[in-house]
Amino acid sequence: MLPLSESRIVLISRRTRLEELIARFNTQTQARFYVEHLGADFSDYQNEHDRYHDALQGTSRILAHHGRLHAVERRFLSNYIFGKNDLIVALGQDGLVANTLKYLDGQPLIGINPDRTRWDGVLLPFAVADLDRVIPEALAGRRPIKEVTMAKATLNNGQSLYAVNDFFIGAKSHVSARYLIRLGDREERHSSSGIIISTGLGSTGWFKSVMAGATALAGSPASERKVAKPMPWHASFLVFSVREPFPSTSTSATLVHGRIDSEPLLVTSQMAENGVLFSDGVEQDYLDFNAGTLATITVAERTGRLVI
């Protein structure tokens, strides 16, 4: 354990919606004109921005008092090299915590909610005001840790990607994805809107919405939709669901839902182009999944560690 004053604390932040608009329209004035011209309330963007940056300044000041502070913006996460003894702090929302976890290898992560009037923050148990108490305890290893199971996709070209919530495998656009799917001794050719593979943490997100729609279409009453119940964050398995599978003379639609534990899920692309595999809803950080590419989906060998 390093002396507290020598510990490295990595603060992960994100751009606000206002900053995204300014990046798009070059100036705040032009961003305001665009939003108000459409009849929307620009003050909501401004208020969110101001609250977030107040929280960012307060967080930075406290963290610098407790260790060597490194600040990283979300878009640079995939290229950042974390040290094995780093303490990671993510200044919300939940998506930022999930996106950060998949780039870590055992380092503890603290989620901070910058605005509890705006964000529920399932993965953000702390406020900025808690940091002076929580940081020394976390650095000394005295805070409890919640383990989070992650998923891993490995391609036959050597590339790999981790997911904290879920994977999507399919086509970039709204055209049908074509692939060969295999689980154990079952194998089918599919034409569908893609596959969602979920962890326990992700079972309350995209996967839940897919299952809710499927069971509703099947006529199941809400009281019987047990499959949509959330799984534990530390569940030792993954679940998958195929979106809108289309049965035809050349494609099937029976291997459309299942559990991934000791047997990996194998998916081979049969798409000439525009096939993708991405995790946690971050479409910009994807792997190409085109003809001949084989994706092997398993429970990851490492887990996320959330400070609580």
Side-chain angles (χ1 to χ4, degrees), residues 265-283:
L265 183 71
L266 305 177
V267 186
T268 304
S269 176
Q270 296 181 332
M271 295 173 280
E273 60 182 0
N274 295 324
V276 294
L277 186 157
F278 62 80
S279 64
D280 302 327
V282 184
E283 297 182 42

Side-chain angles (χ1 to χ4, degrees), residues 16-29:
T16 64
R17 291 182 300 161
L18 177 55
E19 288 171 315
E20 296 284 0
L21 284 170
I22 292 172
R24 179 181 175 188
F25 295 105
N26 298 317
T27 69
Q28 183 166 326
T29 300

Side-chain angles (χ1 to χ4, degrees), residues 2-285:
L2 292 172
L4 298 190
S5 60
E6 297 181 14
S7 298
R8 189 169 83 153
I9 304 172
V10 182
L11 172 60
I12 312 298
S13 63
R14 59 172 181 82
R15 293 201 291 189
T16 64
R17 291 182 300 161
L18 177 55
E19 288 171 315
E20 296 284 0
L21 284 170
I22 292 172
R24 179 181 175 188
F25 295 105
N26 298 317
T27 69
Q28 183 166 326
T29 300
Q30 289 176 298
R32 176 189 288 274
F33 174 79
Y34 171 79
V35 171
E36 293 182 342
H37 180 71
L38 294 176
D41 181 13
F42 184 78
S43 66
D44 183 58
Y45 294 83
Q46 186 68 62
N47 291 338
E48 177 193 333
H49 175 85
D50 293 343
R51 291 290 295 270
Y52 185 79
H53 278 270
D54 285 346
L56 183 58
Q57 290 177 11
T59 299
S60 299
R61 184 171 58 252
I62 294 170
L63 297 183
H65 177 71
H66 291 285
R68 296 182 291 114
L69 177 62
H70 286 228
V72 181
E73 196 177 291
R74 176 180 185 160
R75 55 191 168 135
F76 300 119
L77 270 175
S78 60
N79 295 318
Y80 189 78
I81 299 176
F82 292 93
K84 65 177 183 178
N85 295 316
D86 289 350
L87 176 64
I88 318 302
V89 177
L91 188 64
Q93 303 108 326
D94 285 334
L96 181 64
V97 174
N99 192 222
T100 301
L101 269 180
K102 71 181 181 183
Y103 295 109
L104 303 181
D105 189 8
Q107 297 92 338
L109 188 151
I110 299 173
I112 305 298
N113 194 330
D115 187 353
R116 284 180 170 166
T117 65
R118 186 179 292 270
W119 314 117
D120 291 337
V122 174
L123 304 180
L124 309 169
F126 303 109
V128 176
D130 298 321
L131 284 172
D132 265 327
R133 169 179 55 87
V134 173
I135 293 298
E137 293 175 350
L139 288 172
R142 295 198 303 268
R143 292 293 311 183
I145 297 289
K146 192 165 188 174
E147 299 286 338
V148 178
T149 297
M150 295 197 291
K152 184 179 182 180
T154 305
L155 304 188
N156 56 348
N157 60 14
Q159 293 180 290
S160 63
L161 188 65
Y162 289 86
V164 174
N165 285 320
D166 45 50
F167 282 121
F168 171 80
I169 303 177
K172 280 184 181 179
S173 62
H174 292 290
V175 300
S176 294
R178 290 187 171 270
Y179 52 86
L180 183 70
I181 184 171
R182 182 180 180 88
L183 183 66
D185 58 0
R186 298 179 63 192
E187 182 177 276
E188 289 184 353
R189 294 185 186 277
H190 278 185
S191 175
S192 78
S193 295
I195 311 171
I196 303 297
I197 301 110
S198 176
T199 65
L201 180 60
S203 64
T204 58
W206 197 354
F207 180 80
K208 182 179 180 179
S209 69
V210 170
M211 295 308 301
T215 53
L217 286 171
S220 301
S223 60
E224 296 179 7
R225 296 174 197 169
K226 296 180 181 180
V227 71
K229 288 186 176 180
M231 303 182 303
W233 291 4
H234 63 280
S236 59
F237 59 90
L238 312 173
V239 287
F240 73 92
S241 183
V242 176
R243 303 168 65 212
E244 302 171 326
F246 183 75
S248 69
T249 56
S250 60
T251 59
S252 303
T254 60
L255 183 54
V256 296
H257 175 70
R259 174 168 162 161
I260 306 167
D261 41 35
S262 58
E263 294 278 6
L265 183 71
L266 305 177
V267 186
T268 304
S269 176
Q270 296 181 332
M271 295 173 280
E273 60 182 0
N274 295 324
V276 294
L277 186 157
F278 62 80
S279 64
D280 302 327
V282 184
E283 297 182 42
Q284 298 83 358
D285 185 15

